[in-house]
Amino acid sequence: MNFEESVKYLLALGNEVLAMKLGLENIRTLLEALGNPHKKYLKVQIAGTNGKGSTCAFLESICLQAGIKVGLNTSPHLISITERVRINGKEISEEEFARQVSIVKKTSEELVEKNKLETLPTFFEQITAVALKSFADAGVEVAILETGLGGCFDAVTASQAEIVALTPIDFDHQKVLGNTIEKIAAEKAAIIRPETQVVCSNQRPEALQVILKRSDECGVLPIMASEVMASPMNDGFCFQTMKAKYENVRLGLLGDHQIENAKVAILLAEVLQERIGKNLASHIPQGLAKARHKGRLEFIGRFLFDGAHNVAGAESLRRFIQTSINQPLTLIFGIMRDKEIEKIGEILFPQASFLILTRFENQRSMELERMWEVACRFLPQDKIFKAECVRKAISKALEVSSVSHLILVTGSLYLIGEAQKILQESGQTKAIVASDEYR
């Protein structure tokens, strides 16, 4: 298969979430047939509701600065599916991606033919296998793995990571994970196993209780990010752990919520240093400063992109707007239909001078009328517009906005990816640069 054929094959397996299959038996069988590639390097798995991707980005950057050969597996992607598999800070090539997908496809089909699997592994199972095998073939020392959904039955969990971390747990994907913080936390805390080393961010009390109970059952003692002190220092921060002090640290990712993610990444780097016997500590400040994460408080020209797809994410974005943005906002918004639109709308819509509601190319995209109904509670109707596609939403935003307006694209990461691709193809924007003005 070439690259286009490999992408078409994976997409034909079904929607990443709607076609999700709970359970680890398929992915374990597939990995075994591939020679258990995940057993050839040290793994760090990160789960949580918000902050997973940012913590992965921080840790990857630290490893790169320390000269450690590192793999990074994240989801979802914004523009190209190759974003999900990074080796030494670079996306896997289209040719190598297609080669790996061909191997995983052939192996999957053989397992079905031999009745070792009832059905083909899902999109997410196969893309996870592609990442884990790619890392083994590239000879990485450390693989950083972002959990897709939950933790207990997520395909990434089949990798049996030696080090795990839990970022802040909040409400999201309740139809799958449960409608209480305790149930959601139990799903995510399931990545903790006997003999794993665990780093835990500051948590809601009900989530922390579940995590500590799971840790106790597994006989492990979590390292708590709440014990890391962070204080302003010059133009950055001073982070003090039980082992070291890191001074004059400027975070490469924007927003005050990144302080918590940085704490987790620092502790993970300290654990890694002990496990692999290489110096990471002296590279932590530079690693944190050079970290980048697509689609999270990311500036491209006069556009700002942020994947605030749940209530906690929306609250973080609102804080950033209120403390760091000193210009009018035109808001382009679209979200999945299973999200808490009333609460997210209440948080974000009043921040906008103009609001453009749109749908993106995903069958789970929320209907315009549903978003309009909520938006009218918070803005005058003459400030709200409906655009049936993302391209028209961008055109409308540019039409109604003066040059002083910042255009904020937020809601689903799928919306952000589609918008960035349109802007990239139109030549309206150049390289992505997080402006120092907002740091």
Side-chain angles (χ1 to χ4, degrees):
M1 289 189 293
N2 60 30
F3 177 68
E4 290 74 18
E5 289 168 341
S6 69
V7 174
K8 186 177 181 180
Y9 162 74
L10 289 170
L11 294 177
L13 295 170
N15 181 275
E16 186 167 359
V17 174
L18 296 179
M20 180 181 61
K21 189 180 300 176
L22 296 179
L24 301 179
E25 290 156 8
N26 277 12
I27 182 65
R28 283 173 176 158
T29 301
L30 177 56
L31 289 175
E32 185 176 1
L34 291 169
N36 289 317
H38 57 294
K39 295 184 178 181
K40 298 178 181 178
Y41 42 81
L42 190 70
K43 298 163 294 294
V44 180
Q45 182 180 357
I46 300 174
T49 304
N50 291 300
K52 299 189 300 291
S54 296
T55 304
C56 286
F58 277 135
L59 185 59
E60 179 201 36
S61 184
I62 293 168
C63 288
L64 289 172
Q65 294 305 310
I68 294 167
K69 193 162 189 180
V70 60
L72 175 63
N73 175 215
T74 59
S75 63
H77 60 276
L78 296 183
I79 297 176
S80 173
I81 198 169
T82 57
E83 296 168 24
R84 295 174 181 246
V85 186
R86 289 164 58 93
I87 298 169
N88 275 352
K90 296 181 179 179
E91 293 175 24
I92 189 173
S93 70
E94 292 184 353
E95 294 75 17
E96 178 62 11
F97 182 85
R99 187 182 78 85
Q100 295 288 358
V101 172
S102 297
I103 294 170
V104 170
K105 174 179 181 290
K106 181 181 178 183
T107 304
S108 298
E109 290 172 345
E110 288 175 350
L111 288 169
V112 172
E113 289 173 7
K114 295 175 182 177
N115 294 319
K116 291 185 177 181
L117 288 178
E118 290 185 9
T119 59
L120 286 174
T122 63
F123 171 97
F124 192 74
E125 288 168 337
Q126 293 201 37
I127 198 70
T128 298
V130 165
L132 297 175
K133 186 176 182 303
S134 297
F135 296 154
D137 289 355
V140 304
E141 299 172 74
V142 175
I144 303 167
L145 311 172
E146 179 185 5
T147 307
L149 179 63
C152 183
F153 297 114
D154 189 88
V156 173
T157 304
S159 69
Q160 296 188 309
E162 295 84 359
I163 303 167
V164 303
L166 290 156
T167 62
I169 294 171
D170 216 306
F171 288 103
D172 202 3
H173 298 292
Q174 288 97 309
K175 290 184 179 179
V176 178
L177 303 178
N179 55 9
T180 68
I181 289 295
E182 290 86 352
K183 289 180 179 179
I184 296 170
E187 289 288 327
K188 296 179 185 293
I191 69 173
I192 300 172
R193 298 175 295 104
E195 299 182 1
T196 52
Q197 290 179 276
V198 182
V199 174
C200 182
S201 73
N202 191 39
Q203 300 283 355
R204 297 168 70 138
E206 55 269 46
L208 181 59
Q209 186 176 3
V210 172
I211 293 167
L212 293 177
K213 182 174 182 292
R214 171 68 179 180
S215 299
D216 184 61
E217 291 170 349
C218 293
V220 299
L221 184 64
I223 304 169
M224 305 302 299
S226 57
E227 296 178 1
V228 179
M229 302 300 295
S231 54
M233 185 177 189
N234 298 326
D235 291 331
F237 298 93
C238 174
F239 290 94
Q240 174 84 57
T241 73
M242 299 293 288
K243 297 180 179 179
K245 181 185 288 188
Y246 307 95
E247 298 181 321
N248 295 313
V249 177
R250 270 191 105 195
L251 301 182
L253 304 183
L254 300 174
D256 58 9
H257 57 286
Q258 296 296 354
I259 297 172
E260 185 67 22
N261 298 328
K263 289 181 180 181
V264 176
I266 290 169
L267 292 175
L268 286 171
E270 289 183 343
V271 171
L272 267 177
Q273 178 168 283
E274 293 177 354
R275 291 294 295 257
I276 64 178
K278 291 189 177 181
N279 175 26
L280 278 83
S282 64
H283 299 282
I284 285 174
Q286 191 175 20
L288 294 174
K290 291 193 172 185
R292 297 293 182 266
H293 192 199
K294 291 182 178 181
R296 281 75 168 183
L297 290 179
E298 176 187 39
F299 287 87
I300 305 181
R302 63 182 293 197
F303 288 81
L304 170 62
F305 297 89
D306 189 67
H309 59 270
N310 56 40
V311 173
E315 288 174 341
S316 294
L317 175 56
R318 178 174 62 181
R319 285 197 303 272
F320 181 75
I321 292 170
Q322 294 176 343
T323 59
S324 302
I325 302 297
N326 298 308
Q327 61 190 111
L329 280 180
T330 294
L331 178 59
I332 298 176
F333 182 86
I335 205 163
M336 296 295 192
R337 67 167 63 100
D338 60 343
K339 299 298 183 178
E340 297 181 278
I341 180 62
E342 291 88 354
K343 293 180 180 179
I344 295 172
E346 182 179 3
I347 294 166
L348 292 181
F349 294 167
Q351 311 303 315
S353 299
F354 297 104
L355 173 63
I356 294 92
L357 304 170
T358 191
R359 298 194 71 192
F360 41 93
E361 293 181 359
N362 188 295
Q363 62 196 96
R364 294 169 56 219
S365 180
M366 186 174 287
E367 296 76 10
L368 290 175
E369 290 303 323
R370 178 73 184 99
M371 292 187 287
W372 173 272
E373 175 189 329
V374 174
C376 289
R377 303 176 198 168
F378 304 106
L379 288 174
Q381 289 192 18
D382 63 349
K383 302 295 183 183
I384 311 169
F385 304 90
K386 289 183 282 188
E388 59 191 36
C389 68
V390 177
R391 190 175 297 275
K392 290 183 178 180
I394 293 172
S395 296
K396 191 65 180 179
L398 292 169
E399 175 190 327
V400 302
S401 302
S402 70
V403 292
S404 65
H405 277 66
L406 180 67
I407 300 175
L408 169 61
V409 183
T410 190
S412 174
L413 286 168
Y414 292 95
L415 165 65
I416 290 172
E418 195 172 326
Q420 288 191 357
K421 185 176 182 180
I422 290 167
L423 291 170
Q424 192 179 83
E425 291 173 347
S426 68
Q428 292 188 49
T429 59
K430 296 183 180 179
I432 295 169
V433 177
S435 172
D436 276 348
E437 179 184 352
Y438 298 102
R439 293 192 182 282

